[in-house]
């Protein structure tokens, strides 16, 4: 049993008793998760506090890893290239410039896109102005 009140040794401290509300509250606060997530983790990996802690660390690592672009993995390069609508070479250059964060790379491409639009608009206005001056000279 996870919580034998007669045993107060280290073995009992290393186990999570879901039947005791104060233990659920303590472990939830310690791992910074909701009681429901704690119960799901205990059900999945067992009552050992070490195993539950390792489970939550793995979950946090996986969540953080999803937002990173791993250039060394071809499937990731394909995925992110398609998502940002760029070539793999441009994606690799962007990652080299701003880092592996997908948010930073997305912002980098957004600023590049805005700059390209401004440049195109400026060229268009120059062409229109040049066209008007050539028409005036011909008349």
């Amino acid at each position: 049993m996870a919580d034998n009140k007669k045993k107060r040794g280290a073995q009992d401290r290393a186990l999570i008793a879901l039947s005791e509300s104060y233990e659920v509250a303590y472990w939830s606060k310690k791992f910074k998760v909701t009681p429901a997530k704690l119960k799901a983790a205990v059900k999945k990996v067992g009552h050992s506090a070490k195993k539950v802690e390792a489970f939550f660390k793995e979950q946090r690592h996986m969540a953080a890893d999803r937002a990173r672009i791993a250039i060394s993995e071809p499937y990731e390069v394909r995925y992110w290239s398609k998502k940002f609508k760029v070539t793999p070479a441009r994606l690799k250059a962007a990652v080299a410039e701003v880092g592996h964060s997908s948010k930073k790379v997305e912002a980098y491409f957004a600023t590049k896109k805005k700059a390209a639009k401004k440049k195109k608009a400026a060229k268009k206005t120059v062409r229109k102005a040049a066209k008007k001056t050539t028409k005036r000279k011909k008349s």
Side-chain angles (χ1 to χ4, degrees):
M1 180 152 178
D3 193 33
N4 185 345
K5 298 207 189 277
K6 292 180 183 176
K7 292 183 180 179
R8 294 185 174 186
Q11 279 186 322
D12 191 50
R13 283 189 210 115
L15 299 175
I16 300 172
L18 295 178
S19 59
E20 301 295 336
S21 60
Y22 65 90
E23 282 212 23
V24 172
Y26 169 79
W27 290 108
S28 296
K29 187 175 180 181
K30 180 174 173 138
F31 295 136
K32 298 177 184 167
V33 296
T34 63
K37 286 185 180 180
L38 177 71
K39 289 175 183 178
V42 169
K43 187 175 182 180
K44 187 167 189 159
V45 297
H47 290 276
S48 169
K50 284 184 180 181
K51 287 182 180 180
V52 172
E53 184 176 23
F55 174 78
F56 285 130
K57 280 184 180 179
E58 178 68 22
Q59 293 299 309
R60 286 188 189 102
H61 174 71
M62 288 173 53
D65 200 33
R66 280 189 215 125
R68 296 182 51 78
I69 300 172
I71 293 297
S72 59
E73 298 293 337
Y75 65 90
E76 287 230 1
V77 172
R78 280 192 306 273
Y79 170 79
W80 291 108
S81 295
K82 190 174 182 180
K83 180 171 177 142
F84 295 134
K85 298 177 184 168
V86 296
T87 63
R90 285 193 62 207
L91 177 70
K92 289 177 183 179
V95 168
E97 192 161 325
V98 297
H100 291 275
S101 168
S102 62
K103 288 182 181 180
K104 287 182 181 178
V105 171
E106 185 175 23
Y108 172 81
F109 284 129
T111 56
K112 288 282 190 182
K113 199 172 192 179
K114 283 181 184 177
K117 279 186 178 182
K118 283 183 180 180
K119 193 174 181 181
K120 191 175 181 180
K123 280 185 180 180
K124 197 173 187 179
T125 56
V126 169
R127 281 191 212 132
K128 281 185 179 181
K131 208 175 197 182
K132 283 182 181 179
T133 56
T134 55
K135 282 185 180 180
R136 287 182 191 163
K137 288 181 183 179
K138 288 182 180 179
S139 310

